[in-house]
Every structure is written in C-alpha cells, then in structure tokens.
Amino acid sequence: MKKLITLALVFMFALPIALSAETLASLKADADAATKAALAAPTSYEANWKAAKAWRLYGDKAVSDKVSGYKEIAEKSGQEGLKFGEIAQKINPNGVEGWYYYGLCVGTYSDGVSIITAIRKGFKGKTQKAFETAYSLNKMYDDCGPILSLGRFWQVLPGIAGRDRDKAEKLFNEYIKLMASNKDINMDVYYYRGELYKDLGKKAEAKADLTKAAAAGNKEAKALLAEL
C-alpha cells in the first residue's frame, strides 16, 4: 500500500492503495470487467470485494492525476465501489477485504463530493465501522493498511465530527513500529504524523517527520516544512 490516499479528506480516511504504472483507461477497463464478474456471481465474496477495489483504484488514479472531470469520476467510482463493498460485507462479514475497500471507497467518493457532504450523508459512522472492523479482523492486511487508514480517519475528521488526534498518533506510531523496516512502508505516514505534530505545536517532532516525507517525494510535506 505504498501510495496512500490523496483524499482530500481522506476522509480521507483512508488511505490510497498502491498505484502501479497502470493508465486511467486500463484501470477503468479493469473496473468494468470486475463489475461484470461481480454481477455474474452476486454471491461471490471475492468477486464483489475485487470490484470494490477496482473502482477504488480507478477513482483514486483520476484524483491523483487531476484529470479533467476527476471529481465526477471520483463520485461515481466511489459510489460503485461502496455498492460492491457493502455486498461483500454482507456475504462474508468476517472478511477484511469487504470492510477495508468499502472504507477506502468512501474516501474516493468524498474526493468527488466533499467531506462535509459525505458526513451529511452518514458516511462518518459507516467509515469508522469499516476501518475499525478491518483493523480488528486483520490489521496487517495490505501492508498494515487498516492501521494507517484508521489513523488518518481520526486525524482528518472535522473537529465538530469527532476528530481524535490522540488516537491518530497512536495508530501512526503503531504503523511505523510494524512497518519501519519494511520496504513497502508508505512514507506518507511521516507526512501525516508530521502534520499532526505541527498542529499539536511539537515543532521538532514535526520537522523530523516532514523531512523524511519530503525526502521521499511528498510535496505537501515540503510545503509544511517551509512553514516551520
């Protein structure tokens, strides 16, 4: 899960999935094919969570590349992914994939309609449940994706919606402890935690983390460093 979220939020929450050299067109073709497979096998857990993942990848790519009409693509992709993720949850509530990709698809949807709109539509509670369930079922899934996603969720929630920086920090620390020596660590975690430390007034800690993230190519981290 090297490239996490661009989620304006994420709702941000969640976090992105690793994007390869796939083109937007090929990812759309993958999503369409995954949809056909899921519709042909409506009781297949695997077919449905893979359809949710495919729509997430397509929507996230559109947002990441800021292609023309990316907000509309994100909204539609998120809606499609949510649909299949929810089906997967119902088929196999003990499977981590259905919950995890559902949560990530909320992030994609939110990139299209805004965090506030997503919250008004009731996705705050649904996303929290999805990521907390994924965490409890298999927090190591997708290179500890549920840990990082849940941490980002608590960090970027609007204050009025229940932001919890203490929970976010604990989850980021847990992620780093488990992934620090793993080549697949998502270096954006240092941007997330650095941003958190900056908000908490911990300048030295923020600078250390943001420097790591900036060195890994995170442009947002570079911008925050300039403010310290």
Side-chain angles (χ1 to χ4, degrees):
M1 165 163 169
K2 288 185 175 179
K3 175 72 180 167
L4 260 193
I5 316 174
T6 57
L7 307 177
L9 21 170
V10 166
F11 199 130
M12 6 148 248
F13 310 144
L15 315 186
I17 299 176
L19 292 179
S20 65
E22 298 267 17
T23 65
L24 188 65
S26 66
L27 289 172
K28 176 59 163 60
D30 289 345
D32 288 338
T35 294
K36 289 182 180 179
L39 293 176
T43 61
S44 169
Y45 173 67
E46 182 176 14
N48 279 281
W49 75 254
K50 285 187 174 180
K53 178 182 179 181
W55 282 108
R56 159 64 180 177
L57 288 171
Y58 170 56
D60 194 50
K61 177 69 170 175
V63 173
S64 178
D65 291 355
K66 293 294 187 291
V67 302
S68 177
Y70 75 88
K71 288 188 176 182
E72 291 76 13
I73 293 174
E75 180 180 1
K76 182 180 186 303
S77 297
Q79 289 175 327
E80 289 297 308
L82 288 168
K83 177 175 64 179
F84 291 112
E86 188 170 25
I87 293 172
Q89 292 170 14
K90 292 178 180 178
I91 294 172
N92 179 15
N94 293 316
V96 64
E97 299 91 348
W99 297 101
Y100 179 63
Y101 290 112
Y102 178 93
L104 292 181
C105 283
V106 174
T108 299
Y109 174 73
S110 299
D111 279 329
V113 302
S114 83
I115 302 175
I116 298 303
T117 296
I119 290 176
R120 286 175 177 170
K121 288 182 176 294
F123 283 108
K124 185 266 185 178
K126 292 178 180 179
T127 305
Q128 180 179 341
K129 180 179 179 180
F131 283 137
E132 288 182 341
T133 302
Y135 180 97
S136 67
L137 289 170
N138 183 3
K139 66 181 181 181
M140 306 297 287
Y141 178 71
D142 194 28
D143 295 324
C144 295
I147 301 174
L148 187 54
S149 296
L150 187 56
R152 187 63 171 162
F153 168 82
W154 286 117
Q155 178 185 15
V156 301
L157 274 178
I160 195 172
R163 178 192 301 129
D164 194 322
R165 290 177 173 143
D166 288 339
K167 287 183 179 179
E169 182 179 8
K170 289 178 181 178
L171 287 159
F172 292 152
N173 289 344
E174 180 181 10
Y175 178 85
I176 291 172
K177 180 179 180 180
L178 291 170
M179 293 292 293
S181 62
N182 190 313
K183 64 180 179 61
D184 291 324
I185 184 174
N186 185 330
M187 292 299 289
D188 284 350
V189 67
Y190 291 107
Y191 164 60
Y192 300 148
R193 195 175 67 172
E195 180 182 44
L196 183 66
Y197 285 147
K198 179 179 179 296
D199 291 340
L200 292 173
K202 298 181 178 181
K203 186 174 180 178
E205 292 90 339
K207 185 174 182 178
D209 274 0
L210 292 173
T211 297
K212 289 181 181 179
N218 188 300
K219 295 180 180 179
E220 288 82 2
K222 292 180 181 179
L224 281 185
L225 272 174
E227 297 177 14
L228 292 176

